[in-house]
Amino acid sequence: MITVALAKGRLARDATELLEKCGLELSELKTETRKLVLFDGSGKYRFVFVKPSDVPTYVERGTADFGVVGKDTLLEADKDIYELIDLKFGVCRLCVCGYPDSLERAGGILRVGTKYPHVTKEYFGTRGKTVDIIKLSGSVELAPVMGLSDVIVDIVESGKTLEANGLEVLEEVCKCSARVVVNRVSLKTKKELVPLFEKIRANV
């Protein structure tokens, strides 16, 4: 059996549509249910629905053979897994955001609010900038508004939330989209994955 880890929400829905195009019968995945483990029509594929940040862990540990997760989550997790295919959906940008003059006004140490402490440390570290990273879980945009941080590092899609709070994109860290990530052992031992990945590539 092949086990697939899917990030709950829109990425799971988009991944389901893509896998159906590849020939999998996934009607069970489209039904309203609280089950966290579901199967395809053939019973050959098992799907587990987890928090996006947990997908890389399930794949690295081999609990899932492969998964679908955003590039931003992948960078933050920094796991020993193989990034195989860019699925071209879930497109967004990871950016440094704040008031227009935030970077200029900041003192010697830049205070950064973010859900991505690892990525933030790497990004500013390569620029030789000393930062005070403030780990947040909720509405990151609130941090500079309330004076908790000078800037934020966060995902930007439409930019409307930034605009509504007087903030803007100051620097782009990287572009992100959904990726297929694979357990290294599974890729070598489960040969049936190869034709599936070929179909995925053909349908992206």
Side-chain angles (χ1 to χ4, degrees):
M1 183 176 291
I2 301 295
T3 301
V4 187
L6 296 180
K8 294 177 183 177
R10 192 176 67 187
L11 286 189
R13 291 192 295 272
D14 289 346
T16 298
E17 289 183 12
L18 174 61
L19 290 169
E20 282 187 318
K21 290 178 183 176
C22 296
L24 275 66
E25 199 288 294
L26 301 178
S27 58
E28 187 178 3
L29 274 65
K30 293 182 170 183
T31 58
E32 287 293 328
T33 178
R34 291 185 177 273
K35 290 181 179 179
L36 299 176
V37 180
L38 298 171
F39 297 85
D40 78 316
S42 71
K44 295 178 181 177
Y45 290 87
R46 175 173 59 182
F47 294 85
V48 295
F49 293 84
V50 299
K51 288 180 65 175
S53 58
D54 289 339
V55 171
T57 302
Y58 273 77
V59 175
E60 183 187 47
R61 295 276 180 162
T63 306
D65 297 297
F66 75 94
V68 174
V69 68
K71 178 66 173 180
D72 56 310
T73 304
L74 199 55
L75 288 171
E76 182 62 26
D78 193 28
K79 299 290 187 181
D80 183 24
I81 52 181
Y82 188 54
E83 181 184 328
L84 194 65
I85 307 169
D86 181 352
L87 297 176
K88 308 287 174 51
F89 58 72
V91 176
C92 55
R93 297 180 294 158
L94 191 59
C95 299
V96 179
C97 309
Y99 293 111
D101 59 348
S102 294
L103 293 173
E104 290 76 17
R105 285 194 296 107
I109 299 177
L110 184 69
R111 297 173 302 150
V112 187
T114 186
K115 297 174 184 175
Y116 303 93
H118 175 74
V119 174
T120 299
K121 182 179 179 181
E122 291 284 316
Y123 178 75
F124 285 106
T126 59
R127 284 154 180 74
K129 183 68 177 176
T130 303
V131 292
D132 174 18
I133 298 174
I134 304 164
K135 176 73 164 67
L136 298 170
S137 301
S139 300
V140 182
E141 296 88 354
L142 188 60
V145 174
M146 297 303 296
L148 178 63
S149 70
D150 300 307
V151 296
I152 60 173
V153 171
D154 200 21
I155 285 296
V156 177
E157 292 183 69
S158 68
K160 290 180 180 178
T161 304
L162 292 175
E163 184 180 347
N165 289 283
L167 308 174
E168 62 182 46
V169 172
L170 304 176
E171 297 176 0
E172 183 178 295
V173 177
C174 65
K175 289 181 170 61
C176 301
S177 57
R179 308 296 167 101
V180 170
V181 292
V182 190
N183 177 272
R184 293 185 180 277
V185 175
S186 296
L187 189 59
K188 293 177 181 178
T189 60
K190 298 197 174 181
K191 302 302 182 184
E192 59 268 48
L193 286 173
V194 175
L196 176 63
F197 292 149
E198 289 176 352
K199 289 178 182 177
I200 290 174
R201 285 195 180 92
N203 281 280
V204 169

